[in-house]
Amino acid sequence: MKDILGMFSSVGQINSLTITAAIGLVTLTLAYWSVKRPHRFPPGPRGLPIVGSIFGMIDSPQIVFGQWAKKYGNIFGFKVGERWMVVLNGQKAIKDAVIKQGVDFAGRPDFHSIEIFTEGFKDIAFSSFSETWKLHRKLAHTALRHFATGEPLQNLISSMYPKLEKALSENGSKPINPKILLNLLLYNILSQMCFGKKYELNDPNVTGWMKINEEINEGFGLGLAADFFSWAKYLPTSGPKLLRDTVTTFFVFLKEQLSGLDKTYDPENIDNFYHLMLKAQDDARKEGENVEKLTDTHVFQTIADIFGAGTTTSVETLYWAIALLTELPDIQRKVQEEIDAVIGRKRVPTIEDRGTLPYTEATLYEIMRYSSIAPIAIPHATTKDTELHGYIIPKGAVVMINTYSMHFDPQEWDDPDSFKPEHFLDDSGTVRQHPPSFMPFGAGRRSCLGEAVAKADLFLIFSWFLQNYTFSKVPGKESESLLNMIPKTATGRLLTPYEVIITPRPIEE
């Protein structure tokens, strides 16, 4: 009997050891396959099994990517969770991808956070490269050409100057955070363009948008766990709920702006972007084409893209502009002297003045380069297996475009860490609008469709401010820098809140 019991005991021990060994083997196999790099994939940090290099992302992306580029080269890859990711650095790698092989790199990753925000990828900025995307981008281009170029844009912006003057006059010589004014200004411009509505600077709709926009930026952050681990979307975590709640608030806000506009729609008299989209819907129904590409959700998401993107980027660029020129009063003075000499003080700057103010334009371009508010562009994704500089990048890989690496490349810029308007002036004093290593609006199939509009409105607003006001530090705080950035943020190079004194310039005699 003892022998029989001993035999069963031995068998039990063997089975236990076998199961343990099997589990260990499976675990090791899964761990191996989770970090095994695809054939001819770019070199890069190996990361940990299952989670990949997620713990390497402890700093702002452009900082981490810059460090990794020194070790692995301008094209490197790594894994985060289930996602293979590739980072492109320097103008050669970036332009070869987005321009020479534009279609191959024109996709967008199907992140769960973006799926929530875009109601199933039905917008322009984040949707996949498709015929639907091409249609909506074309419509957006048409709208921007119609409502946001030339005289219409100039008149739209000029209509806001009296409101700004009033607000600054009421503020007097007290310290002020200029971002508040900038948000109010850009919100009003975009609301008139998109909805045909005008507001006072302190309207609750305006201040409400500012609050929602801040919540959206905070909510996205580095994304959700479900962006990198597909199973995480089924976990009862707070991230997705918080994001859904913020997005719902934004949607409710935006739908309130659109409320009633369908009743004022006249296909013979299109006066805002929303009405243009309604006309596109009508035409599609009449022609029996593209109806499924112009659903109410598609229209709403396209409006959200134009409105949201148009405010945030311009506000942050101008916020950097005021901080930089306050820190650098000599450059501020040179811009003012050029504006005084060319335009004077008796008329507002116009779009036609571009080309006659080289130092002013160069300063504005240098602000875009130096601030690099979006140091890592919106992520791309490969639409098929493709080869770049000898590496194979598989279909669906997330591709990060490190524009910061271009804007601060010491091989392309003389002393890139210093703010120098001369970076954009040639020996004859002419503006260099397109230096090879300057790409603030992207390039290729996924370039910013509002580039022309952004350049125009930034020029008009920037030159008007410098024509009429001087920015200086708050007394007693002269030694404090205004160029402090929010640390370790994935949403861009954003400045911490600051205050300045905005003083009217003496009237020209």
Side-chain angles (χ1 to χ4, degrees):
M1 177 64 73
K2 289 182 179 180
D3 291 341
I4 294 174
L5 290 175
M7 181 182 68
F8 277 112
S9 175
S10 298
V11 170
Q13 290 176 0
I14 292 172
N15 285 340
S16 176
L17 289 171
T18 301
I19 292 170
T20 301
I23 292 173
L25 180 61
V26 170
T27 301
L28 288 172
T29 301
L30 290 173
Y32 169 75
W33 282 107
S34 72
V35 296
K36 185 179 184 299
R37 306 174 84 79
H39 177 60
R40 289 172 59 193
F41 193 71
R46 295 195 64 82
L48 299 171
I50 310 301
V51 298
S53 297
I54 193 168
F55 295 114
M57 308 293 290
I58 58 174
D59 209 331
S60 298
Q62 71 274 11
I63 302 300
V64 175
F65 293 164
Q67 294 168 348
W68 287 352
K70 291 178 182 178
K71 183 175 183 179
Y72 301 108
N74 279 339
I75 302 177
F76 60 83
F78 57 96
K79 198 173 190 183
V80 175
E82 301 164 4
R83 301 272 189 181
W84 283 107
M85 309 185 74
V86 173
V87 178
L88 307 182
N89 305 271
Q91 64 154 312
K92 172 70 173 163
I94 290 172
K95 289 185 175 179
D96 283 353
V98 301
I99 297 176
K100 292 184 179 181
Q101 297 173 225
V103 174
D104 294 2
F105 289 87
R108 292 290 194 215
D110 56 344
F111 288 152
H112 185 54
S113 58
I114 302 300
E115 183 179 15
I116 293 171
F117 189 70
T118 61
E119 299 179 279
F121 307 104
K122 293 183 174 66
D123 73 325
I124 300 175
F126 299 101
S127 64
S128 61
F129 183 71
S130 64
E131 293 304 315
T132 300
W133 173 82
K134 291 178 185 177
L135 173 63
H136 282 265
R137 186 175 172 92
K138 181 179 178 181
L139 288 171
H141 263 302
T142 301
L144 291 171
R145 283 198 306 269
H146 187 74
F147 300 115
T149 55
E151 191 172 343
L153 177 64
Q154 190 170 293
N155 292 339
L156 188 58
I157 294 175
S158 296
S159 70
M160 296 303 304
Y161 294 154
K163 297 180 180 181
L164 283 173
E165 289 170 341
K166 180 183 176 183
L168 288 169
S169 177
E170 291 174 349
N171 184 72
S173 59
K174 293 181 292 187
I176 187 172
N177 181 345
K179 181 173 280 192
I180 298 172
L181 283 178
L182 296 173
N183 266 303
L184 301 179
L185 169 63
L186 268 299
Y187 174 89
N188 269 278
I189 292 170
L190 267 295
S191 65
Q192 290 185 58
M193 187 188 305
C194 291
F195 321 126
K197 293 183 178 181
K198 298 180 181 180
Y199 296 101
E200 293 302 315
L201 287 182
N202 59 351
D203 189 281
N205 286 288
V206 179
T207 53
W209 159 247
M210 290 168 55
K211 184 174 184 297
I212 293 169
N213 191 45
E214 289 174 359
E215 290 175 353
I216 289 173
N217 285 334
E218 292 174 2
F220 267 101
L222 285 168
L224 301 175
D227 292 342
F228 305 98
F229 303 92
S230 58
W231 45 264
K233 68 177 69 175
Y234 304 109
L235 299 178
T237 53
S238 61
K241 183 182 183 304
L242 177 63
L243 184 57
R244 284 192 179 92
D245 289 346
T246 304
V247 168
T248 298
T249 303
F250 172 60
F251 287 171
V252 169
F253 168 81
L254 199 56
K255 286 174 181 176
E256 287 175 354
Q257 311 310 304
L258 297 174
S259 177
L261 288 183
D262 55 334
K263 296 181 175 62
T264 62
Y265 166 60
D266 178 1
E268 302 301 322
N269 184 28
I270 302 298
D271 61 355
N272 60 69
F273 186 32
Y274 181 58
H275 284 169
L276 184 74
M277 294 298 292
L278 292 181
K279 186 176 187 307
Q281 270 189 321
D282 280 351
D283 293 344
R285 294 187 187 108
K286 290 174 184 176
E287 297 168 5
E289 296 180 357
N290 297 322
V291 175
E292 75 286 353
K293 300 172 185 174
L294 285 163
T295 65
D296 289 345
T297 302
H298 282 102
V299 169
F300 178 78
Q301 282 291 330
T302 297
I303 292 286
D305 265 2
I306 297 295
F307 180 72
T311 53
T312 303
T313 53
S314 294
V315 165
E316 295 298 341
T317 300
L318 290 167
Y319 199 50
W320 266 92
I322 293 173
L324 282 162
L325 294 196
T326 303
E327 289 284 351
L328 303 166
D330 289 344
I331 293 177
Q332 180 177 181
R333 194 175 304 112
K334 286 185 69 173
V335 172
Q336 290 172 327
E337 289 172 352
E338 182 179 65
I339 293 172
D340 289 349
V342 176
I343 299 176
R345 303 286 301 284
K346 295 181 180 178
R347 69 170 178 85
V348 298
T350 67
I351 291 175
E352 286 72 25
D353 289 317
R354 288 197 297 179
T356 67
L357 299 168
Y359 190 81
T360 302
E361 283 192 81
T363 301
L364 190 52
Y365 285 132
E366 177 68 349
I367 289 165
M368 295 180 197
R369 180 199 72 85
Y370 191 84
S371 64
S372 290
I373 57 172
I376 308 298
I378 296 175
H380 291 231
T382 43
T383 57
K384 66 176 185 178
D385 292 351
T386 188
E387 184 173 345
L388 180 68
H389 292 200
Y391 300 115
I392 298 295
I393 303 175
K395 179 181 179 180
V398 178
V399 181
M400 311 292 280
I401 308 297
N402 186 4
T403 54
Y404 182 87
S405 69
M406 294 175 62
H407 292 176
F408 285 82
D409 187 344
Q411 295 183 345
E412 299 289 338
W413 304 94
D414 173 36
D415 190 12
D417 292 326
S418 296
F419 183 89
K420 295 180 178 180
E422 292 76 16
H423 282 141
F424 288 87
L425 293 171
D426 63 20
D427 293 339
S428 66
T430 302
V431 177
R432 299 170 64 225
Q433 294 190 23
H434 304 288
S437 199
F438 182 57
M439 206 175 75
F441 299 99
R445 300 299 180 106
R446 287 289 184 168
S447 63
C448 174
L449 60 85
E451 176 177 354
V453 178
K455 285 181 177 179
D457 65 28
L458 287 172
F459 171 79
L460 292 172
I461 295 168
F462 178 74
S463 56
W464 179 82
F465 264 120
L466 272 295
Q467 179 191 44
N468 293 282
Y469 295 93
T470 294
F471 304 101
S472 58
K473 289 192 174 185
V474 176
K477 297 184 177 181
E478 289 86 355
S479 63
E480 297 180 14
S481 175
L482 305 182
L483 303 179
N484 299 312
M485 285 179 282
I486 300 173
K488 300 181 181 180
T489 176
T491 53
R493 281 165 45 90
L494 307 181
L495 293 175
T496 56
Y498 65 82
E499 290 184 331
V500 293
I501 302 296
I502 303 179
T503 307
R505 297 183 65 204
I507 300 298
E508 183 183 47
E509 296 182 2

Coordinates of all heavy atoms in Angstrom, one line a residue, residues 291-342:
V291 N -23.6 60.2 -49.8 CA -24.5 60.4 -48.7 C -24.0 59.8 -47.4 O -24.0 60.4 -46.3 CB -25.9 59.8 -49.0 CG1 -26.8 59.9 -47.8 CG2 -26.5 60.5 -50.2
E292 N -23.4 58.6 -47.5 CA -22.9 57.9 -46.3 C -21.6 58.5 -45.8 O -21.2 58.3 -44.6 CB -22.6 56.4 -46.6 CG -21.4 56.1 -47.5 CD -21.5 56.5 -48.9 OE1 -22.6 56.9 -49.4 OE2 -20.5 56.4 -49.7
K293 N -21.0 59.4 -46.6 CA -19.8 60.1 -46.1 C -20.1 61.5 -45.5 O -19.2 62.2 -45.0 CB -18.8 60.3 -47.3 CG -18.4 59.0 -47.9 CD -17.6 59.3 -49.2 CE -17.2 58.0 -49.9 NZ -16.6 58.2 -51.2
L294 N -21.4 61.9 -45.6 CA -21.8 63.2 -45.1 C -22.9 63.1 -44.1 O -23.9 63.8 -44.1 CB -22.2 64.1 -46.2 CG -21.0 64.6 -47.1 CD1 -21.5 65.2 -48.4 CD2 -20.3 65.7 -46.3
T295 N -22.8 62.1 -43.2 CA -23.8 62.0 -42.1 C -23.7 63.2 -41.2 O -22.8 64.0 -41.2 CB -23.6 60.7 -41.3 OG1 -22.3 60.8 -40.6 CG2 -23.5 59.5 -42.2
D296 N -24.7 63.4 -40.3 CA -24.7 64.5 -39.4 C -23.5 64.4 -38.4 O -22.9 65.4 -38.1 CB -26.0 64.4 -38.5 CG -27.2 64.8 -39.3 OD1 -27.1 65.4 -40.4 OD2 -28.3 64.6 -38.8
T297 N -23.1 63.1 -38.1 CA -21.9 63.0 -37.3 C -20.6 63.4 -38.0 O -19.8 64.1 -37.4 CB -21.7 61.5 -36.8 OG1 -22.9 61.1 -36.2 CG2 -20.6 61.3 -35.9
H298 N -20.5 63.1 -39.3 CA -19.3 63.5 -40.0 C -19.3 65.1 -40.1 O -18.2 65.7 -39.9 CB -19.4 63.0 -41.5 CG -19.0 61.6 -41.6 ND1 -19.9 60.5 -41.7 CD2 -17.8 61.0 -41.6 CE1 -19.3 59.4 -41.8 NE2 -18.0 59.6 -41.7
V299 N -20.4 65.7 -40.3 CA -20.5 67.1 -40.4 C -20.1 67.8 -39.1 O -19.3 68.7 -39.0 CB -21.9 67.6 -40.8 CG1 -22.1 69.1 -40.6 CG2 -22.2 67.2 -42.3
F300 N -20.7 67.2 -38.0 CA -20.4 67.8 -36.7 C -18.9 67.6 -36.3 O -18.3 68.6 -35.8 CB -21.2 67.0 -35.6 CG -21.0 67.4 -34.2 CD1 -21.5 68.6 -33.7 CD2 -20.2 66.7 -33.4 CE1 -21.3 69.0 -32.4 CE2 -19.9 67.1 -32.1 CZ -20.5 68.2 -31.6
Q301 N -18.3 66.5 -36.7 CA -16.9 66.3 -36.3 C -16.0 67.2 -37.2 O -15.0 67.6 -36.7 CB -16.5 64.8 -36.6 CG -17.0 63.9 -35.5 CD -16.2 64.1 -34.2 OE1 -15.1 64.5 -34.2 NE2 -16.9 63.9 -33.0
T302 N -16.4 67.5 -38.4 CA -15.6 68.4 -39.2 C -15.6 69.8 -38.7 O -14.6 70.5 -38.6 CB -16.1 68.4 -40.7 OG1 -15.9 67.0 -41.2 CG2 -15.3 69.3 -41.5
I303 N -16.8 70.2 -38.2 CA -16.9 71.5 -37.6 C -16.0 71.6 -36.3 O -15.3 72.5 -36.0 CB -18.4 71.8 -37.2 CG1 -19.2 72.0 -38.5 CG2 -18.5 73.0 -36.3 CD1 -19.0 73.3 -39.2
A304 N -16.1 70.5 -35.5 CA -15.3 70.4 -34.3 C -13.8 70.6 -34.6 O -13.1 71.2 -33.8 CB -15.6 69.1 -33.5
D305 N -13.4 69.9 -35.6 CA -11.9 70.0 -36.0 C -11.5 71.4 -36.3 O -10.5 71.9 -35.8 CB -11.7 69.1 -37.2 CG -11.2 67.7 -36.8 OD1 -11.1 67.5 -35.6 OD2 -10.9 66.9 -37.7
I306 N -12.3 72.1 -37.2 CA -11.9 73.4 -37.6 C -12.0 74.4 -36.4 O -11.1 75.2 -36.2 CB -12.9 73.9 -38.7 CG1 -12.8 73.1 -39.9 CG2 -12.7 75.4 -39.0 CD1 -11.5 73.1 -40.6
F307 N -13.0 74.3 -35.6 CA -13.2 75.2 -34.5 C -12.1 74.9 -33.4 O -11.4 75.9 -32.9 CB -14.6 75.0 -33.9 CG -14.8 75.9 -32.7 CD1 -15.0 77.2 -32.9 CD2 -14.9 75.3 -31.4 CE1 -15.3 78.0 -31.8 CE2 -15.1 76.1 -30.3 CZ -15.3 77.5 -30.5
G308 N -11.9 73.7 -33.0 CA -11.0 73.4 -31.9 C -9.5 73.6 -32.3 O -8.8 74.3 -31.6
A309 N -9.1 73.1 -33.5 CA -7.7 73.3 -33.9 C -7.4 74.7 -34.2 O -6.3 75.2 -33.9 CB -7.4 72.4 -35.1
G310 N -8.4 75.5 -34.7 CA -8.1 76.9 -35.1 C -7.9 77.8 -33.9 O -7.2 78.8 -34.0
T311 N -8.4 77.4 -32.8 CA -8.3 78.3 -31.6 C -7.0 78.0 -30.8 O -6.2 78.8 -30.5 CB -9.5 78.2 -30.7 OG1 -9.7 76.8 -30.3 CG2 -10.7 78.8 -31.3
T312 N -6.8 76.7 -30.5 CA -5.7 76.3 -29.6 C -4.4 76.6 -30.1 O -3.5 77.3 -29.4 CB -5.8 74.8 -29.4 OG1 -7.1 74.5 -28.8 CG2 -4.8 74.3 -28.4
T313 N -4.0 76.3 -31.4 CA -2.7 76.5 -31.9 C -2.3 78.0 -32.0 O -1.2 78.4 -31.6 CB -2.5 75.8 -33.2 OG1 -3.5 76.3 -34.1 CG2 -2.5 74.3 -33.1
S314 N -3.3 78.8 -32.4 CA -3.0 80.2 -32.6 C -2.9 80.9 -31.2 O -2.0 81.7 -31.0 CB -4.1 80.9 -33.4 OG -4.2 80.5 -34.7
V315 N -3.7 80.5 -30.3 CA -3.6 81.1 -28.9 C -2.2 80.8 -28.3 O -1.5 81.7 -27.8 CB -4.7 80.5 -28.0 CG1 -4.4 80.8 -26.5 CG2 -6.1 81.1 -28.4
E316 N -1.8 79.5 -28.4 CA -0.5 79.1 -27.8 C 0.7 79.8 -28.4 O 1.6 80.2 -27.8 CB -0.3 77.6 -27.8 CG -1.3 76.9 -26.9 CD -1.3 77.2 -25.4 OE1 -0.3 77.7 -25.0 OE2 -2.3 76.9 -24.7
T317 N 0.6 80.0 -29.8 CA 1.7 80.7 -30.5 C 1.8 82.1 -30.1 O 2.9 82.6 -29.8 CB 1.5 80.6 -32.0 OG1 1.5 79.2 -32.4 CG2 2.6 81.3 -32.8
L318 N 0.6 82.8 -30.0 CA 0.6 84.2 -29.6 C 1.0 84.4 -28.1 O 1.6 85.4 -27.8 CB -0.7 84.8 -29.9 CG -1.1 85.0 -31.4 CD1 -2.6 85.3 -31.6 CD2 -0.2 86.1 -32.0
Y319 N 0.7 83.4 -27.3 CA 1.1 83.4 -25.9 C 2.6 83.4 -25.8 O 3.2 84.1 -25.0 CB 0.4 82.3 -25.2 CG 0.3 82.4 -23.7 CD1 -0.2 83.6 -23.1 CD2 0.7 81.4 -22.8 CE1 -0.3 83.7 -21.7 CE2 0.6 81.5 -21.5 CZ 0.1 82.6 -20.9 OH 0.0 82.8 -19.5
W320 N 3.2 82.5 -26.6 CA 4.7 82.5 -26.6 C 5.2 83.8 -27.2 O 6.3 84.3 -26.7 CB 5.1 81.3 -27.5 CG 5.4 80.0 -26.9 CD1 4.5 79.0 -26.6 CD2 6.7 79.6 -26.3 NE1 5.2 78.0 -26.0 CE2 6.5 78.3 -25.8 CE3 7.9 80.2 -26.2 CZ2 7.5 77.6 -25.2 CZ3 9.0 79.5 -25.6 CH2 8.7 78.2 -25.1
A321 N 4.6 84.4 -28.2 CA 5.1 85.6 -28.8 C 5.2 86.7 -27.8 O 6.2 87.5 -27.7 CB 4.1 86.0 -29.9
I322 N 4.1 86.9 -27.0 CA 4.1 88.0 -26.0 C 5.2 87.7 -24.9 O 5.9 88.6 -24.5 CB 2.7 88.1 -25.3 CG1 1.7 88.6 -26.4 CG2 2.7 89.0 -24.1 CD1 0.3 88.6 -25.9
A323 N 5.3 86.5 -24.5 CA 6.3 86.1 -23.5 C 7.7 86.4 -24.0 O 8.6 87.0 -23.3 CB 6.2 84.7 -23.0
L324 N 8.0 86.0 -25.2 CA 9.3 86.2 -25.8 C 9.7 87.6 -26.0 O 10.8 88.1 -25.7 CB 9.4 85.4 -27.2 CG 9.6 83.9 -27.1 CD1 9.3 83.2 -28.4 CD2 11.1 83.6 -26.6
L325 N 8.7 88.4 -26.5 CA 9.0 89.8 -26.8 C 9.1 90.7 -25.5 O 9.7 91.7 -25.4 CB 8.0 90.4 -27.8 CG 8.1 89.9 -29.2 CD1 7.3 90.7 -30.1 CD2 9.5 89.6 -29.7
T326 N 8.4 90.2 -24.5 CA 8.6 90.8 -23.1 C 9.9 90.5 -22.6 O 10.6 91.4 -22.0 CB 7.5 90.3 -22.2 OG1 6.2 90.6 -22.7 CG2 7.6 91.0 -20.8
E327 N 10.4 89.3 -22.8 CA 11.8 88.9 -22.3 C 12.9 89.6 -23.1 O 14.0 89.8 -22.7 CB 11.9 87.4 -22.4 CG 11.1 86.6 -21.3 CD 11.7 86.7 -20.0 OE1 12.9 87.2 -19.8 OE2 11.1 86.3 -19.0
L328 N 12.5 90.0 -24.4 CA 13.5 90.5 -25.3 C 13.1 91.9 -25.8 O 12.7 92.0 -27.0 CB 13.7 89.5 -26.5 CG 14.2 88.1 -26.1 CD1 14.0 87.1 -27.2 CD2 15.6 88.1 -25.6
P329 N 13.1 92.9 -25.0 CA 12.6 94.2 -25.4 C 13.3 94.8 -26.6 O 12.6 95.6 -27.3 CB 12.8 95.0 -24.1 CG 13.8 94.3 -23.3 CD 13.7 92.9 -23.6
D330 N 14.5 94.5 -26.8 CA 15.2 95.1 -28.0 C 14.6 94.6 -29.3 O 14.4 95.3 -30.2 CB 16.7 94.7 -28.0 CG 17.5 95.5 -26.9 OD1 16.9 96.5 -26.3 OD2 18.6 95.0 -26.5
I331 N 14.2 93.3 -29.3 CA 13.6 92.7 -30.5 C 12.2 93.3 -30.6 O 11.7 93.6 -31.7 CB 13.6 91.2 -30.4 CG1 15.0 90.6 -30.5 CG2 12.7 90.6 -31.5 CD1 15.1 89.1 -30.4
Q332 N 11.5 93.4 -29.5 CA 10.2 94.1 -29.5 C 10.2 95.5 -30.1 O 9.4 95.8 -31.0 CB 9.6 94.1 -28.1 CG 8.2 94.7 -28.1 CD 7.6 94.8 -26.7 OE1 6.5 95.2 -26.5 NE2 8.3 94.2 -25.7
R333 N 11.3 96.2 -29.7 CA 11.4 97.6 -30.2 C 11.7 97.6 -31.7 O 11.2 98.5 -32.4 CB 12.5 98.3 -29.4 CG 12.6 99.8 -29.6 CD 13.7 100.4 -28.7 NE 13.4 100.0 -27.3 CZ 14.2 99.2 -26.6 NH1 15.3 98.6 -27.2 NH2 14.0 98.9 -25.3
K334 N 12.5 96.7 -32.2 CA 12.9 96.7 -33.6 C 11.6 96.3 -34.5 O 11.4 96.9 -35.5 CB 14.0 95.6 -33.9 CG 15.3 96.0 -33.4 CD 16.4 95.1 -33.8 CE 16.6 95.0 -35.3 NZ 17.8 94.2 -35.7
V335 N 10.8 95.4 -34.0 CA 9.5 95.1 -34.7 C 8.7 96.4 -34.7 O 8.1 96.7 -35.8 CB 8.8 94.0 -34.0 CG1 7.4 93.8 -34.6 CG2 9.6 92.7 -34.1
Q336 N 8.5 97.1 -33.6 CA 7.7 98.3 -33.6 C 8.2 99.4 -34.5 O 7.5 100.0 -35.2 CB 7.6 98.8 -32.1 CG 6.8 97.9 -31.2 CD 6.9 98.3 -29.8 OE1 7.9 98.8 -29.3 NE2 5.8 98.0 -29.0
E337 N 9.5 99.5 -34.5 CA 10.1 100.5 -35.4 C 9.9 100.2 -36.9 O 9.6 101.1 -37.7 CB 11.6 100.6 -35.1 CG 12.0 101.2 -33.8 CD 13.5 101.2 -33.4 OE1 14.2 100.5 -34.2 OE2 13.9 101.7 -32.4
E338 N 9.9 98.9 -37.2 CA 9.7 98.6 -38.6 C 8.2 98.8 -39.0 O 7.9 99.4 -40.1 CB 10.0 97.1 -38.9 CG 9.8 96.7 -40.3 CD 10.1 95.2 -40.6 OE1 9.5 94.4 -40.0 OE2 11.1 95.0 -41.3
I339 N 7.3 98.5 -38.1 CA 5.9 98.7 -38.3 C 5.6 100.2 -38.5 O 4.8 100.6 -39.3 CB 5.0 98.1 -37.2 CG1 5.1 96.5 -37.3 CG2 3.5 98.5 -37.3 CD1 4.5 95.8 -36.1
D340 N 6.2 101.0 -37.6 CA 6.0 102.4 -37.6 C 6.5 103.0 -38.9 O 5.8 103.9 -39.5 CB 6.7 103.1 -36.5 CG 6.1 102.8 -35.1 OD1 5.0 102.3 -35.1 OD2 6.7 103.1 -34.1
A341 N 7.6 102.5 -39.4 CA 8.2 103.1 -40.6 C 7.4 102.7 -41.9 O 7.3 103.5 -42.8 CB 9.7 102.6 -40.8
V342 N 6.9 101.5 -41.9 CA 6.2 101.0 -43.1 C 4.7 101.3 -43.1 O 4.1 101.7 -44.1 CB 6.4 99.5 -43.3 CG1 5.7 98.9 -44.5 CG2 7.9 99.2 -43.4

